[in-house]
């Protein structure tokens, strides 16, 4: 990794947001980024409190995101967009139009047309845009990809990817129902659960296999407290390379806080990784052998010094995975600033975001028709 520390500004990400403090901690963990400016909230008191808590100078706190962009051009290396997904499109477009590199929480946008427009804008401006898909920052997920590429599994035949959660069906100890953010209570062409959870599964399968979805058949329903939005989705899908897969993501699966699990099956071996036990990768071989690998083993990727903030046996988790991704993005941005372009296999931009939206849109269409739908 480069030693250069970059300056970043946050749009959104206040102390009362779902993701703000995780991003604040992750981007600074390895001293790759300095949070230098912010328009954290439209509520003045929360904006100020967040800025003070995050150590941002008061003169670089802004009451509007447009004000921050106008004042900070040439002072920031990148802007992180951490607002609800429904607000991303306009913010991303304006940042790219004025030449500011963008780090954006997934999903990029809610509609395919907006994703296509952003991709063309990024290409025409030769801009920099990186998406935060933090689960591919886990060292053992990266180890799994390395094993796949080295041929341990042979041809990859099929996969199961699931991300069950319980947030839309559980209650607190007093029996009170949850109170989700208002923007999560209205589905569009692509339901919100697809953007929240399905986008991660699409990115992870691409990250691991390099294959692309071709067609899908899906079913979906609403089982929790909020019947106006979809909260459970399952599908079968066919990918390039003859790869077959199954996906399930839910917000009405009691017992799962976040049950992300990946199973990959090849001709020679299979593997399972679960986010609840992130430092172990379970391998199963055609001759009946079973192996548990962790980052303390003789691993090609997960044992690298950059992932060993503390020795094996003291598990790293969600925020560390995000920090790994922020480090990769910093390296890409340093290269971009030097050469006008960059290459990275660790983080993705508009192409993966657009494909993911098309895939999720096809899922929603299939759930309505009951038929296989091909990606256009």
């Amino acid at each position: 990794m480069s030693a250069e520390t970059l300056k970043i500004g946050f749009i959104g990400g206040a102390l009362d947001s779902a993701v703000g403090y995780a991003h604040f901690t992750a981007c600074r963990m390895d001293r790759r980024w300095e949070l230098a400016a912010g328009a954290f909230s439209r509520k003045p008191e929360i904006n100020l409190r967040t800025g003070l808590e995050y150590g941002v100078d008061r003169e670089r706190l802004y009451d509007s995101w447009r004000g921050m962009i106008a004042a900070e051009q040439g002072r920031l290396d990148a802007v992180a967009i951490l607002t609800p997904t429904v607000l991303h499109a306009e913010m991303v477009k304006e940042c790219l139009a004025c030449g500011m590199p963008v780090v954006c929480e997934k999903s990029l946008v809610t509609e395919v047309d907006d994703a296509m427009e952003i991709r063309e804008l990024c290409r025409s401006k030769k801009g920099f845009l990186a998406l935060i898909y933090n689960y591919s920052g886990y060292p053992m997920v990266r180890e799994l990809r390395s094993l796949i590429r080295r041929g341990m599994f042979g041809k990859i035949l099929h996969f199961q990817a699931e991300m069950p959660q319980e947030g839309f069906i559980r209650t607190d100890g007093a029996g009170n129902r949850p109170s989700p953010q208002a923007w999560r209570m209205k589905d569009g062409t692509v339901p919100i659960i697809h953007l929240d959870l399905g986008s991660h599964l699409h990115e992870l399968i691409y990250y691991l296999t390099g294959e692309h979805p071709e067609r899908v058949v899906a079913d979906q329903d609403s089982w929790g407290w909020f019947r106006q939005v979809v909260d459970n989705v399952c599908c079968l899908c066919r990918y390039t390379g003859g790869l077959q897969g199954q996906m399930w993501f839910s917000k009405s699966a009691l017992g799962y806080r976040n049950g992300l699990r990946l199973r990959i099956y090849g001709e020679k071996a299979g593997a399972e990784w679960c986010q609840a036990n992130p430092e172990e990768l379970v391998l199963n071989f055609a001759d009946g052998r079973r192996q548990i690998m962790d980052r303390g083993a003789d691993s090609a990727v997960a044992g690298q010094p950059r992932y060993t903030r503390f020795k094996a046996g003291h598990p790293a988790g969600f925020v560390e995975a995000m920090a790994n991704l922020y480090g990769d993005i910093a390296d890409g941005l340093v290269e971009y600033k030097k050469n006008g372009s960059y290459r990275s296999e660790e983080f993705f931009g508009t192409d993966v975001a657009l494909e993911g939206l098309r895939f999720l849109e096809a899922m929603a269409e299939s759930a309505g028709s009951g038929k296989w739908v091909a990606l256009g």
Side-chain angles (χ1 to χ4, degrees):
M1 281 191 171
S2 164
E4 182 176 347
T5 300
L6 302 169
K7 291 183 173 13
I8 195 167
F10 281 7
I11 298 176
L15 289 170
D16 63 345
S17 77
V19 298
Y21 193 72
H23 278 271
F24 170 69
T25 304
C27 73
R28 298 167 66 251
M29 184 175 291
D30 298 317
R31 299 182 300 279
R32 302 306 315 281
W33 298 87
E34 174 193 346
L35 179 56
F40 302 107
S41 174
R42 288 175 291 188
K43 299 175 182 177
E45 67 281 4
I46 294 177
N47 192 46
L48 176 60
R49 184 159 59 90
T50 302
L52 295 176
E53 181 72 18
Y54 289 174
V56 177
D57 291 340
R58 287 192 180 216
E59 60 268 22
R60 299 184 76 176
L61 290 177
Y62 300 90
D63 58 9
S64 75
W65 61 271
R66 284 193 173 90
M68 188 184 86
I69 292 172
E72 292 289 342
Q73 290 190 50
R75 302 179 75 189
L76 294 175
D77 295 296
V79 171
I81 296 177
L82 310 178
T83 58
T85 305
V86 293
L87 302 177
H88 286 180
E90 187 177 19
M91 295 172 176
V92 172
K93 291 173 188 177
E94 290 206 19
C95 286
L96 291 174
C98 68
M100 295 191 89
V102 175
V103 178
C104 185
E105 255 289 347
K106 66 82 210 160
S107 287
L108 176 59
V109 286
T110 62
E111 300 289 340
V112 167
D113 287 347
D114 280 326
M116 292 178 64
E117 185 177 343
I118 288 170
R119 184 178 66 172
E120 293 310 309
L121 180 60
C122 199
R123 288 176 175 176
S124 66
K125 293 287 186 178
K126 296 184 179 180
F128 181 99
L129 190 152
L131 273 294
I132 298 290
Y133 295 103
N134 51 287
Y135 296 107
S136 54
Y138 277 97
M140 294 312 295
V141 173
R142 296 183 171 195
E143 185 70 35
L144 175 55
R145 183 181 67 171
S146 174
L147 297 176
I148 291 171
R149 288 183 170 185
R150 286 153 51 194
M152 175 181 285
F153 294 80
K155 177 180 172 60
I156 303 300
L157 305 174
H158 55 100
F159 68 83
Q160 292 182 322
E162 60 185 51
M163 199 171 184
Q165 298 179 356
E166 63 182 359
F168 280 13
I169 198 169
R170 68 167 294 171
T171 62
D172 65 16
N176 298 308
R177 298 178 182 183
S179 300
Q181 296 159 294
W183 70 274
R184 297 185 189 276
M185 294 291 94
K186 182 179 179 181
D187 283 338
T189 306
V190 179
I192 293 296
I193 189 174
H194 292 61
L195 302 172
D196 278 352
L197 307 184
S199 60
H200 280 302
L201 298 185
H202 164 260
E203 186 267 348
L204 282 165
I205 295 305
Y206 174 71
Y207 180 86
L208 291 171
T209 70
E211 302 293 349
H212 304 274
E214 292 187 317
R215 55 195 178 99
V216 62
V217 61
D219 193 16
Q220 64 188 36
D221 215 317
S222 179
W223 302 109
W225 301 117
F226 312 104
R227 294 304 178 94
Q228 72 270 33
V229 294
V230 174
D231 65 22
N232 191 74
V233 181
C234 51
C235 74
L236 303 175
C237 39
R238 285 283 184 174
Y239 274 63
T240 56
L243 181 61
Q244 180 192 32
Q246 300 175 57
M247 291 186 180
W248 170 45
F249 47 99
S250 179
K251 294 190 178 184
S252 58
L254 284 171
Y256 286 103
R257 308 318 192 228
N258 188 39
L260 174 60
R261 187 185 304 268
L262 302 170
R263 300 181 182 95
I264 302 289
Y265 302 98
E267 295 173 316
K268 300 178 181 179
E272 180 175 352
W273 178 81
C274 179
Q275 194 218 356
N277 191 19
E279 300 229 316
E280 290 189 355
L281 182 63
V282 179
L283 302 172
N284 301 285
F285 298 92
D287 61 6
R289 287 178 298 122
R290 302 193 71 194
Q291 176 183 347
I292 297 177
M293 176 184 288
D294 68 13
R295 67 183 173 93
D298 184 18
S299 53
V301 175
Q304 293 176 13
R306 66 168 295 198
Y307 301 124
T308 310
R309 298 180 181 90
F310 202 67
K311 60 185 177 180
H314 300 269
F318 182 93
V319 175
E320 289 87 349
M322 189 180 288
N324 295 335
L325 197 62
Y326 263 108
D328 298 323
I329 293 170
D331 286 342
L333 184 52
V334 168
E335 183 180 348
Y336 168 82
K337 290 171 62 180
K338 181 179 178 180
N339 302 319
S341 63
Y342 70 94
R343 293 187 63 184
S344 177
E345 295 184 329
E346 305 299 350
F347 68 91
F348 304 117
T350 56
D351 288 343
V352 169
L354 176 57
E355 180 182 88
L357 274 171
R358 285 173 169 159
F359 182 40
L360 299 172
E361 187 177 71
M363 271 190 213
E365 181 182 343
S366 173
S369 69
K371 299 177 181 179
W372 282 91
V373 173
L375 273 71

